[in-house]
Amino acid sequence: MDTHAALYRQGQARLDMLRQLKSRDGQSLTSKMKEHGITRRDFMKWSASVTAMLALPLPFSTLVAEAAELADRVPLIWLHMAECTGCSESLIRTDTPNLDSLIFDHVSLEYHETLMAAAGWQAEENLEHAMEAYKGQYLLAVEGAVPTANNGAYLTVGCKGHTGLEIVKHAAEGAAAIISVGTCAAFGGIQAASPNPTGAKGIHEVVDKTVINLGGCPPSEKNIVGTLMYFIMFGKLPALDMFNRPKWAYGARVHDNCERRGRFDAGEFVEEFGDQGAKEGYCLYKVGCKGPYTYNNCPTERFNHHTSWPVLAGHGCMGCSEPNFWDDMADFEKPLGRQLLHGIDATADTVGAVILGATAVGIGAHAVTSIFAKPLEE
Amino acid sequence: MSKRVVIDPITRIEGHLRVEVEVDENNVINKAWSSSTLWRGIEVILKGRTPMDVGLIVQRICGVCTYSHYRAGIEAVENALGTEIPLNAKYLRSLMQTSLYMHDHIVHFYHLHGLDWVDVVSALSADPAAAAQEALKYTANPISAGEGELRAVQERVKGFVETGKLGPFANAYWGNGTYKFTPEQNLIALSHYLKALEVQRVAAEMLAIFGGKSPHPQSLVVGGVTSVRDMLSPARLQEWKQKHAIVTDFIHRAYKADIVMAAAAFGGEPSVLGGVNVKNFMATNDFVLADGQYMFDQGVIMNGDLAGVTDINPDLIKEDVTHAWYKADGAQHPYDGTTVPDYTGFVERDTVYGKLPTLDGDGKYSWVKSPRYDDEPMEVGPLASLLVSYAKGNKVVVDSVNGLLEATGLPIEALFTTLGRTAARMLQTVIVAEEGLKTFDAMLVNMQSDESTYVKPVMDSSQEYVGHSMIEAPRGMLSHWIRIKGGLVENYQAVVPTTWNAGPVDANGKMGPYEASLIGLKLEDPTKPLEVIRIIHSFDPCMACSVHVMDFKGQELGEFRIDPNGQ
C-alpha cells in the first residue's frame, strides 16, 4: 500500500509527464475560468471537494487542481455494448455547476455514441482514428455487457458489421486503462441474469488486461468522473477491492454510512411501505434493503448533485453495485436472510439474528464483513 | 444506377440502430431499411421471478425513458392483481412523469437532435451583437442569448475548431446545404445547447427528489410509492417546485423560441417538410391531473383523418416477424406470440463506401418485430399524442397547437412533417410543465386529509393473474403485459414505442414509420446523409426498448387473454 507521501510524489511525477505533452489549445485554464465567471477561489474549492471525494488528504487538492488543468491531454473512448444508456445518462448529470462541464471539455472525448455529432461511417472513422493516433494512451470506458453467444452476433456496431466482442477486444489492446462503467460492463448486469440468453459477460471476462469495475446501475456521476480524475492525476489505477472496484468509492458498506443506521441499531424498522415508520425514516432492512451486503458510497455522495438516494426515498438498497445481484439479492422487497453471498453469509446470518431481536450483535457483523471484503493489495 | 448508403451507428440515440437506403441517380431515396443490431433478452430473464421485482427489472430496458418502463411494469402487476393504489401515489407518479418528460425532451432536442439543425462551425462566424438582436425576434426575454454570453460561447468553441481537435464535434456533416440557420441563429442555438446541459441536470434532480436517483429511480412498488417522507416534507416539495420553475423558464425562453426560429428558417427546406408517410397515429391517455382527468387523450387516427378518431381496441394489435430475425407463420397477437430466433446476418454488396456487409431486405434484417394495428403500421410519440388530443377537442392541446401555428404562420398540414414532429415534442413539454403543476397542487390538497401512499397487494399463489398497463412514454405509447402463475411471472411482454416506429417491412409489404418517412427524400451528398439522420432522430429512437421482446430459445410465449377494461 502506498504511503500518502509516495502517492503524492507519484502524482507529481505524473503531472510532470503530462506537462510535457502538447496542449490542445493555447488557452490557459485561468483564462477559460475567467470566461465562465469562475474565480480561482471557486476552482480551489472544487478541487478540495474532489480531493475529499477521492478520500485523499487535503494537500492533494493542489494536485487535483493541476490535474484538471492538464486533463485535456487524455483521450477518452467510450463504447456502448449491451446496455440501456443509463450510465451515459448518469455521466451527463455530472453535477458541480459550470466546472464539471469545463472538466468535460478537457477530456478529449474521441468517441461516444450518445454525445458525438458524427454518425455512421464518419463515426466509425473517429473510432479507428483515435485507436490509431492515441495507441497506448487513451482511456477506454465501456458501458454495457458483451454478448458472447452465437459468436457475439447479438450485437454488431458500425458499417463494417463488427460484433461488440470484436470491437471491445480491439479497443482494449491499445488502451492505457480500461474502465467498465456500470454493473453491465463490470459483471454482465441484467442481460447476464439467469438464464443469460445472450451469453452476456463483463468486460474483464473477455479482455486480458486489468479492468476497473464501477459497479452500480448506474454508478453515480461522481464515481464515474472521480475515477477518470484518479487516472488522470496518478497515471495508474486506484487501489481496488476484491471485485476491482476503486476502494475510494466502494470501500465501505452502504449499511455502515446509512442515514437510517441509528434506526437499525435501535431496532426500529419499516414494517410496510407507507406505515408510520416509513414516514419517520425507520430502517428498511425488513422491506428488503440490501445495504448490509453492498459496497458503495451512495449514503455519503448520494445521486444527482447530492439530491437523494434510494434509501432516502424510502426504498431499500437493491445491491446494484455487486456481482450477480439480480439473481443473488432477489427478491428485492424481502430481507436476504440466509442466502450464501460471496463469502459474507456469516454476516447475513448475524444480521438475520439482529432482526430477530439481538440488535447489539450487529456490531460484530460489521467486523466480519470487513474481513471477508478485505481488498486485494495492488 | 441506384446506390446503397449504409448508416451505422446512428449516433445520438439510445441503443444500436442501423439504417440503409437506396438512392437513384438523382440521389432520391427509393428504398429504406431500418434495423436494430442488438438483442438483450430481458423478458426471458423475467420468467420465474416474483412479480414484485418486475418493475426494477424492466426499468433496465431503458436508462433514458428510465421511469416509463419502471412505472409500466409496476402498473401491469397492479392491474393483474387488481390493486387500486392511493390517490397520492397516482399524483406522485404523475409528477415523476412530468419530471421525466421535462428532462428527456430537452435532452433529446438539444443534445441528440440539435446538431442535425445546428451547424456548430457556422456559429463561429456569427456576429454576437446581431445574434442577440435576432434572439429577441422569437421571445421577448431570451435566455443565454445576450451579446456577452454569445461571444463567450463563440470563443469557447473557437478554441476547439482552431486546433482541429474537435472531440465530440469531430467529423460531422458541418457545411451541409440543408443546414438553414444563419450563423447568428446557429450561435443562439449553440449557446442553448450548452445552457441545456445545466438545465437538464436540474430536471433530473426533480425526478431524484421523489425517486431517489435519476436515471433508474427507485421509489415505486406494487401498491404505491415509497417516498412518503419527501411527500410530507414542505422543504422537499418546495425544492421540486423551485427546480420546476428553473426548467420551465428554460422551456419558454429557449426551447419554445428555438422551435419557432427553426420553423422560420427550415420552413422551406424540402428535407424537413416530408417525413410523415405513415399517417396513422395512436396514443393513450396519461398524466393524472386530478381525480378522473388526464392531460392527454387516447385514440387512433387513420390516414390523417382527424375527424375520424376512434378508441383503441387492444385486440387489434398484432406483431409480424416476416423480416425480423425470427420464425413465425403470419402476424400474431402479442398474447399468442411465438418467437423462434433465426439470425441470418448480413449480405455483402457494393455501397457508396465500397463493399460492405448490408441488410438483406428481401429476407430478415432486424431484431425488431413489426407491430400492426388492424394490419396497419402506426406512428406513436408526441405528435401522435397531440394529434389524438387535438382531434378529440382537448382544449389545452387545441389552444397550444393553434398558438404555435399562429406564431409560425404555418398551416395545420405542417404538423404532418419532420418539423411538425419536432415541434410537437416541444409543445408537449410546455403542456406537461404547465399542467403538471395542477397535479402538484392536487397532491398538496389531498395530503392535508389523507397521508396514504401504499396499499399492500394481495397475491394468491394458487390463482393465475393476467394484466397489462398502457401509458405514454416520451417516445410514445408503451404497453406491458404480464401473466402470473404460482405467484411467479409466467410470461411477460412489452410493446414499446420504438418497436411501433422502427420495425421492418411486414408480410404485406407495408413499411413502418421510420422506413416510410425516408422514401422520396433527396440527399445532397449520399456519403454525408444528414437528411436521413435528421428525420430518424425526429422520432427519438430508443433501440434497447424495442428489442427485448424476443424469447431466445423460441419457447411458446404463452397465451394471454385481453380485457379492454384492464381487469
Side-chain angles (χ1 to χ4, degrees), chain A residues 158-171:
Chain A
C159 297
K160 293 166 191 164
H162 291 140
T163 64
L165 186 61
E166 290 166 343
I167 294 167
V168 160
K169 283 185 169 181
H170 185 203

Side-chain angles (χ1 to χ4, degrees), chain A residues 24-27 35-36 72-73 75 80-87 89-90 92-98 100-102 104-105 108-126 134 147 149-150 153-161 184 190-198 217-218 221 259-260 272-276 278-281 302-305 307-318 320 325-327 330-333, chain B residues 6-16 18 37-42 44-47 49-50 52-53 56-57 59-64 66 70 103-104 107 111-112 115-116 152 155-156 159-160 163 165-174 193 197-198 200-201 204-206 208-216 218-222 225-230 232 236 239 243 341 343 346 353 356-357 367 451-456 527-529 533 544 552-553:
Chain A
R24 188 169 62 201
D25 55 33
Q27 209 182 1
E35 205 172 89
H36 293 277
D72 64 331
R73 284 99 181 186
H80 287 80
M81 294 288 126
E83 42 82 19
C84 75
T85 312
C87 298
E89 285 278 346
S90 185
I92 69 169
R93 287 148 173 74
T94 179
D95 60 314
T96 313
N98 296 323
D100 59 348
S101 63
L102 197 61
F104 198 75
D105 291 348
S108 185
L109 191 56
E110 299 293 321
Y111 187 87
H112 188 298
E113 285 167 26
T114 321
L115 295 173
M116 67 195 300
W121 185 261
Q122 287 78 5
E124 207 168 354
E125 277 181 348
N126 282 4
Y134 305 111
N150 204 3
Y154 293 114
L155 170 62
T156 63
V157 186
C159 297
K160 293 166 191 164
C184 292
I190 183 65
Q191 47 275 310
S194 174
N196 192 357
T198 60
C217 188
E221 68 282 3
E259 64 203 27
R260 299 185 189 228
E272 188 179 298
F273 296 115
D275 67 8
Q276 194 56 33
K279 290 174 192 165
E280 293 181 17
R302 296 186 177 179
F303 292 80
N304 305 98
H305 201 182
T307 299
S308 193
W309 67 298
V311 167
L312 176 54
H315 194 293
C317 163
M318 62 190 278
C320 74
F325 80 97
W326 287 112
D327 292 332
D331 39 40
F332 295 107
E333 289 172 20
Chain B
V6 180
I7 313 168
D8 185 359
I10 302 271
T11 50
R12 286 179 280 124
I13 63 165
E14 194 298 317
H16 300 280
R18 180 185 186 101
T37 59
L38 167 68
W39 179 66
R40 296 169 73 209
I42 288 178
V44 182
I45 291 160
L46 279 163
K47 290 182 182 181
R49 292 174 190 259
T50 172
M52 306 307 161
D53 286 356
L56 290 169
I57 294 169
Q59 180 177 38
R60 269 67 192 183
I61 287 173
C62 186
V64 179
T66 166
Y70 189 25
H103 179 271
D104 202 8
V107 169
H111 306 120
L112 307 185
L115 300 176
D116 305 330
E155 290 299 319
R156 184 184 193 187
F160 270 128
T163 58
K165 194 167 176 183
L166 289 160
F169 297 126
N171 211 14
Y173 304 140
W174 312 128
Y193 173 98
L197 271 178
E198 273 174 46
Q200 61 89 23
R201 278 196 292 265
E205 287 158 23
M206 286 168 63
I209 289 172
F210 298 117
K213 64 189 170 90
S214 168
H216 295 335
Q218 199 167 318
S219 66
L220 304 192
V221 284
V222 177
V225 295
T226 68
S227 45
V228 59
R229 249 194 331 164
D230 300 297
L232 288 168
R236 283 301 245 186
E239 203 180 332
K243 291 181 193 299
Y343 183 68
F346 298 108
Y353 308 115
L356 285 176
W367 288 111
E451 290 185 359
S452 63
T453 52
Y454 175 79
V455 292
K456 197 171 176 58
T527 65
K528 295 177 178 170
I533 289 161
F552 171 69
K553 290 182 179 136

Side-chain angles (χ1 to χ4, degrees), chain B residues 4 17 63 84 86 100 126 150 155 192 222 226 233 268 271 276 313 348 359 365 397 403 439 464 470 491 493 501:
Chain B
R4 176 80 65 130
L17 172 64
E84 187 63 34
L100 172 74
L150 292 171
E155 290 299 319
H192 289 165
V222 177
T226 68
S233 157
S271 70
V276 182
N313 176 0
E348 189 161 282
L359 299 173
Y365 62 90
V397 172
T439 310
E464 198 170 329
M470 207 174 263
N491 214 332
Q493 192 147 31
N501 291 336

